[in-house]
């Protein structure tokens, strides 16, 4: 099985369980919280990824750490992921799970990438515009990318709307290269 399929398989299994128990949103929220906790602390992440730690010890630690803090479905899922040595894929599993929930709820994923935060008003305007254009609800996440000169990029499902300064400059450059300027025009 290829690496990108691993997260899809686990996410699909969790999605089916959450759908059966009518707990899509709560499962997503719990999983997101746990993934943030596991990956925000470097010592926790290294513990679960270390080949020096006994796998059964990792499993017991995972089970104790989520017991009482998550539903039975999520707690068992985290324990299974650790048991099967798939901890590294948890972030990808969460993203694939979110995509599945969005598909079931007829919702699109909207990711706004800009050099600096655009502010609530601008994000709300973009969200409203995209929502009406695509005719569905959108889940918005905002990211910053210091490599952008200015402007922003919008990723909606499989579409990219590139309103960055770099893209505009590339368009101008292409237009200038396409236009044939006669020799001696600037003499």
């Amino acid at each position: 099985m290829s690496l990108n399929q691993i997260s899809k398989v686990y996410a699909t299994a969790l999605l089916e369980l959450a759908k059966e128990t009518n707990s899509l949103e709560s499962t997503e929220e719990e999983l997101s919280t746990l993934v943030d906790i596991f990956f925000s602390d470097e010592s926790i992440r290294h513990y679960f990824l270390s080949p020096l730690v006994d796998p059964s010890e990792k499993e017991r630690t995972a089970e104790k750490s989520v017991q009482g803090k998550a539903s039975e479905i999520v707690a068992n899922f985290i324990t299974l992921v650790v048991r099967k040595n798939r901890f590294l894929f948890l972030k990808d599993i969460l993203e694939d799970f979110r995509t599945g929930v969005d598909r079931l709820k007829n919702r699109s994923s909207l990711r706004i990438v800009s050099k600096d935060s655009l502010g609530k008003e601008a994000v709300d305007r973009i969200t409203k515009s995209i929502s009406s254009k695509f005719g569905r609800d959108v889940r918005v996440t905002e990211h910053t990318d210091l490599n952008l000169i200015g402007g922003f990029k919008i990723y909606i499902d499989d579409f990219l709307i590139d309103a960055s300064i770099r893209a505009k400059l590339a368009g101008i450059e292409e237009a200038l290269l396409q236009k044939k300027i006669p020799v001696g025009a600037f003499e």
Side-chain angles (χ1 to χ4, degrees):
M1 180 180 315
S2 72
L3 295 179
N4 64 349
Q5 288 179 329
I6 291 172
S7 62
K8 290 184 185 349
V9 168
Y10 280 83
T12 302
L14 183 60
L15 193 65
E16 290 299 317
L17 283 173
K19 197 165 51 169
E20 285 176 15
T21 59
N22 201 21
S23 61
L24 289 170
E25 269 83 19
S26 62
T27 300
E28 179 184 355
E29 188 176 313
E30 289 175 17
L31 185 62
S32 178
T33 301
L34 289 172
V35 168
D36 286 345
I37 291 169
F38 284 141
F39 284 89
S40 65
D41 188 334
E42 197 171 313
S43 61
I44 294 173
R45 188 176 66 247
H46 285 301
Y47 174 82
F48 283 107
L49 293 175
S50 174
L52 302 175
V53 178
D54 182 44
S56 60
E57 183 62 32
K58 289 181 192 178
E59 185 180 343
R60 283 193 296 276
T61 302
E63 189 174 352
K64 286 179 185 176
S65 66
V66 296
Q67 195 172 25
K69 294 178 181 77
S71 65
E72 185 179 348
I73 290 174
V74 175
N76 289 340
F77 182 76
I78 293 292
T79 305
L80 173 73
V81 167
V82 171
R83 180 184 316 128
K84 296 291 189 178
N85 198 24
R86 302 295 194 214
F87 182 83
L88 182 62
F89 298 99
L90 261 177
K91 282 185 172 182
D92 295 331
I93 292 169
L94 174 61
E95 287 307 309
D96 288 338
F97 183 81
R98 282 183 175 152
T99 301
V101 171
D102 287 346
R103 201 174 310 117
L104 289 172
K105 298 285 184 180
N106 194 30
R107 185 171 52 198
S108 291
S109 175
L110 173 65
R111 188 167 55 114
I112 302 171
V113 180
S114 59
K115 183 170 181 71
D116 299 312
S117 179
L118 295 178
K120 183 173 176 16
E121 186 179 309
V123 170
D124 288 345
R125 276 196 333 258
I126 291 169
T127 302
K128 185 177 179 184
S129 174
I130 296 293
S131 181
S132 67
K133 182 83 170 168
F134 283 82
R136 56 175 53 184
D137 291 336
V138 293
R139 176 202 313 255
V140 180
T141 56
E142 190 177 2
H143 302 278
T144 57
D145 181 358
L146 299 177
N147 293 324
L148 287 176
I149 298 171
F152 55 87
K153 293 181 181 181
I154 297 175
Y155 297 89
I156 177 106
D157 295 333
D158 293 335
F159 298 104
L160 166 64
I161 301 169
D162 193 346
S164 66
I165 300 296
R166 181 164 298 176
K168 293 190 185 308
L169 289 174
I172 292 170
E173 178 185 28
E174 182 66 28
L176 288 173
L177 290 174
Q178 294 297 323
K179 187 171 184 155
K180 300 205 188 263
I181 300 174
V183 177
F186 293 110
E187 293 182 57

